[in-house]
Amino acid sequence: MNNEPIQNFSSLLKNHKNFDIKIKVGENPNIKEFKAHSIILSARSDYFKTALSSQWARREDGFIIFNKPNISPHIYTGTFSNNNDVSFLDIFIAADEIGLFEIRQQVEIRLLETESAWKFPNDFITICKFDTFTNLHEIPLKFKENEALGYLRQGNYLKALEFYEEILKICPHSAEIQKSASNWDLSNYRCGSENLNNLSKLLCKNIKLISLNLSNIELGSINVEQTGVKILADALCKNFTLKDLNLIYNNLGPEGGKTLAYALRKNSTLKNLSLSYNNLGPEGGKALAYALCKNFTLKNLSLASNNLGSEGGKAIAYALRKNSTLTSLNLYHNTLGSKEGKELANALYKNFTLISLNFGWNNLGKEGGKALADALCKNSTLTSLDLQNNNLELEGVKSLADALCKSSTLTSLNLYCNDIGSEGGKVLANALCKNTSLTSLDIGYNNLGPKGGKELANALYKNSTNWIGYKGVKALADALCKNFTLAFLSLWANNLGPEGGKALEDALCKNSTLTYLSIHSNSIGFALKSNNLNLKIR
């Protein structure tokens, strides 16, 4: 964009022969007066056309006097460059003030798109005085935020913190900057021991950092004077502000798990901790389990894919009997086995805080499924249970179906890929007729067949399912027309084909409660349509 809008604007404010207007801009002590002609201003601006009418104009010694404190006095020069005191924001405010909307619009585009159009920090301070220019409020902050992120990625954490504090002094009420200043994402950056030491020092000072993402930074490989895990753990023992910490994919190993476990016993503010994919092993698992018995603040813990094994599983089960704060636990893919599944199920009898539990990919088997089913009948807090890929088979599913008839709290159940067959579909269908709480059921890839699909469709005054062929999906579609509670439906990989897709589409035109529908890998051949505006089809 060239300077034409500014020159057009300034031309209205330059001296003219036989001028009859004096415009005073700025505030004391920085006030400038310039002269203009009323005919020119009235022709170019509806604002001046009204303002110069006899009803509104104020005259003094034969001149019309205008006082405009919001307009920068530098604009009267009629020139602009990035090196002088005039800014695009000055022009924008002036054009808005006197109704030159075409110029205002062109300058606004420049301000929205180009960082160099802003003069920092003066324009920061200026824009914060105005509540009306909502389009522009967050733009300079985003430009400055990007600069702060650059410091973070360079490992210059102290400079980033100072930069955020400077911005917040100017615009203390910016929610966006407040969020950026308190939520640092350092994932995928190799920070090294020196930078990690600097970060540790900041954490020890109890800065207002609430969330820290250190995923995939090879923390387990940082080892000069002391390990990177030890540096971070020592800081966590002294920090009283951090609530969320993400350490996935850091190869912490058993020793790293032990070190962080020690910090958990000392820390009193951390609420969310993700340690997935760190090869903690049984020893790391046991150390963390012991820490859970002593920690009274942690609410969400993810230990997915850590090879905890039977020893780690037993220790976690013991911790669940003692811990009174944890609400979400992810044990996905930890080779726990059937025996440990029973141990964890028994822990649910005594735990009254856990609401979400992920046991996916742990080879619990039918015995583990039965134990969990028994626990569900007595547990009154669990609302979400993930049992995908656990070889539950028909017997395990029968027990879970019985539990569904009695449970009134479980709202989400994932039984994906458990080889339950058509008989499993039938027993689940019977359970769904009696259950009043379940809103989400995933039984994808279970070889239900048309028979199992029909049984579930008939029961679908409550829920949904998978791998059912055309006849099954037709029955399912008929049931959807009558269903008024189901929100989530997964039909992934079911070979529905075009005919099944058409039956399903007809049902969607009548159903008004479904909000999510998964139809991947079904060879339907066309995009499903629905009258339900809230429905997301994937």
Side-chain angles (χ1 to χ4, degrees):
M1 174 180 162
N2 56 34
N3 295 334
E4 183 180 351
I6 300 163
Q7 295 166 353
N8 290 341
F9 174 77
S10 61
S11 68
L12 300 178
L13 310 178
K14 285 185 175 181
N15 293 331
H16 295 275
K17 294 180 179 179
N18 302 319
F19 67 88
D20 56 354
I21 298 176
K22 293 181 179 180
I23 301 178
K24 297 180 180 180
V25 298
E27 298 177 294
N28 281 324
N30 190 20
I31 295 178
K32 295 289 184 179
E33 179 182 286
F34 59 89
K35 304 160 186 178
H37 201 288
S38 61
I39 294 177
I40 296 175
L41 293 179
S42 296
R44 293 293 302 276
S45 168
D46 290 337
Y47 169 86
F48 277 113
K49 186 181 295 184
T50 302
L52 294 173
S53 66
S54 58
Q55 182 179 358
W56 297 101
R58 180 175 71 86
R59 292 183 178 273
E60 184 179 292
D61 297 330
F63 292 98
I64 299 173
I65 306 298
F66 276 88
N67 291 310
K68 293 294 172 188
N70 287 339
I71 298 179
S72 168
H74 302 292
I75 295 176
Y76 87 101
T77 59
T79 60
F80 175 80
S81 74
N82 288 334
N83 297 320
N84 63 29
D85 293 324
V86 179
S87 77
F88 274 101
L89 185 62
D90 292 331
I91 303 297
F92 173 83
I93 293 171
D96 180 80
E97 179 78 14
I98 59 177
L100 298 174
F101 298 117
E102 183 180 351
I103 294 175
R104 176 191 185 278
Q105 184 179 37
Q106 292 184 56
V107 176
E108 182 179 26
I109 292 172
R110 178 67 178 267
L111 289 168
L112 289 171
E113 295 178 349
T114 313
E115 183 175 359
S116 61
W118 294 86
K119 290 190 173 295
F120 300 103
N122 291 340
D123 283 354
F124 259 150
I125 299 171
T126 300
I127 197 65
C128 286
K129 294 178 181 178
F130 294 88
D131 296 327
T132 54
F133 306 136
T134 54
N135 283 352
L136 294 179
H137 270 153
E138 294 300 325
I139 295 302
L141 297 178
K142 285 189 180 297
F143 287 139
K144 290 288 113 177
E145 181 185 0
N146 288 336
E147 191 170 342
L149 287 174
Y151 290 125
L152 288 179
R153 290 166 183 170
Q154 295 165 17
N156 197 340
Y157 306 124
L158 181 60
K159 180 65 176 177
L161 179 63
E162 292 174 349
F163 201 79
Y164 277 124
E165 289 175 344
E166 179 184 345
I167 298 173
L168 287 170
K169 282 180 183 178
I170 298 171
C171 296
H173 303 300
S174 171
E176 189 70 24
I177 295 299
Q178 289 279 5
K179 182 179 179 181
S180 295
S182 60
N183 296 266
W184 288 9
D185 185 353
L186 306 179
S187 59
N188 301 305
Y189 289 93
R190 307 296 182 257
C191 61
S193 60
E194 182 179 353
N195 291 334
L196 191 59
N197 274 316
N198 291 334
L199 180 61
S200 175
K201 290 175 184 177
L202 288 182
L203 290 173
C204 291
K205 291 180 180 179
N206 291 309
I207 60 173
K208 294 181 179 180
L209 192 59
I210 295 174
S211 177
L212 182 60
N213 186 348
L214 296 176
S215 61
N216 197 29
I217 66 166
E218 297 184 1
L219 189 62
S221 303
I222 299 174
N223 190 0
V224 184
E225 295 179 358
Q226 57 180 335
T227 66
V229 185
K230 182 66 166 58
I231 294 171
L232 181 63
D234 288 345
L236 288 177
C237 293
K238 301 173 183 178
N239 178 274
F240 299 103
T241 60
L242 199 65
K243 294 182 180 179
D244 307 324
L245 179 60
N246 187 339
L247 293 174
I248 68 172
Y249 289 111
N250 269 294
N251 195 29
L252 300 180
E255 292 305 314
K258 292 178 183 179
T259 303
L260 283 172
Y262 173 79
L264 277 183
R265 297 200 295 270
K266 302 290 183 180
N267 181 279
S268 60
T269 56
L270 207 60
K271 291 186 177 181
N272 307 298
L273 176 61
S274 181
L275 294 172
S276 299
Y277 304 96
N278 272 296
N279 196 29
L280 300 178
E283 293 303 314
K286 286 193 286 187
L288 286 164
Y290 176 69
L292 286 177
C293 297
K294 304 288 184 179
N295 179 283
F296 301 102
T297 56
L298 200 65
K299 290 185 176 296
N300 302 294
L301 176 62
S302 179
L303 295 172
S305 294
N306 270 297
N307 195 30
L308 299 182
S310 59
E311 292 301 312
K314 287 178 183 178
I316 295 292
Y318 175 80
L320 286 179
R321 296 185 182 97
K322 302 290 184 180
N323 181 278
S324 59
T325 58
L326 206 63
T327 60
S328 176
L329 178 61
N330 185 351
L331 294 173
Y332 177 88
H333 202 267
N334 270 293
T335 60
L336 298 181
S338 176
K339 186 177 180 180
E340 287 63 47
K342 290 181 181 180
E343 293 278 353
L344 287 160
N346 291 334
L348 291 179
Y349 288 115
K350 298 183 179 181
N351 181 284
F352 301 102
T353 58
L354 207 62
I355 61 175
S356 177
L357 182 57
N358 189 337
F359 271 154
W361 281 82
N362 273 296
N363 197 29
L364 300 181
K366 56 187 178 183
E367 293 301 320
K370 287 179 182 179
L372 282 168
D374 291 340
L376 283 179
C377 294
K378 298 178 180 179
N379 180 282
S380 59
T381 57
L382 203 64
T383 61
S384 177
L385 179 60
D386 191 330
L387 295 173
Q388 63 176 298
N389 256 295
N390 267 297
N391 292 318
L392 299 180
E393 300 179 351
L394 180 58
E395 289 186 51
V397 170
K398 280 183 177 179
S399 298
L400 285 167
D402 290 339
L404 286 178
C405 295
K406 301 171 184 178
S407 172
S408 59
T409 57
L410 200 66
T411 60
S412 177
L413 178 61
N414 188 347
L415 296 175
Y416 177 91
C417 198
N418 271 289
D419 195 27
I420 66 177
S422 60
E423 286 301 310
K426 184 177 179 179
V427 296
L428 279 174
N430 292 333
L432 290 178
C433 291
K434 299 175 183 179
N435 179 278
T436 58
S437 61
L438 206 63
T439 59
S440 175
L441 176 62
D442 189 342
I443 46 176
Y445 228 94
N446 268 295
N447 195 28
L448 300 180
K451 184 178 178 181
K454 287 182 180 179
E455 293 286 354
L456 280 161
N458 291 332
L460 207 69
Y461 289 102
K462 297 296 174 187
N463 278 301
S464 69
T465 191
N466 236 0
W467 198 275
I468 54 183
Y470 171 65
K471 291 182 179 179
V473 80
K474 180 64 171 63
L476 179 64
D478 291 342
L480 272 179
C481 297
K482 302 173 184 177
N483 177 275
F484 300 104
T485 58
L486 191 65
F488 175 95
L489 175 60
S490 175
L491 293 171
W492 187 86
N494 275 295
N495 194 29
L496 301 182
E499 289 183 282
K502 183 63 172 64
L504 190 59
E505 185 176 66
D506 291 342
L508 292 179
C509 292
K510 299 175 182 178
N511 179 282
S512 60
T513 56
L514 208 61
T515 59
Y516 182 91
L517 175 63
S518 175
I519 54 170
H520 280 299
S521 304
N522 272 294
S523 302
I524 290 176
F526 60 91
L528 294 186
K529 298 178 181 178
S530 169
N531 293 332
N532 185 351
L533 298 178
N534 296 319
L535 178 62
K536 291 183 178 179
I537 301 175
R538 304 292 172 124

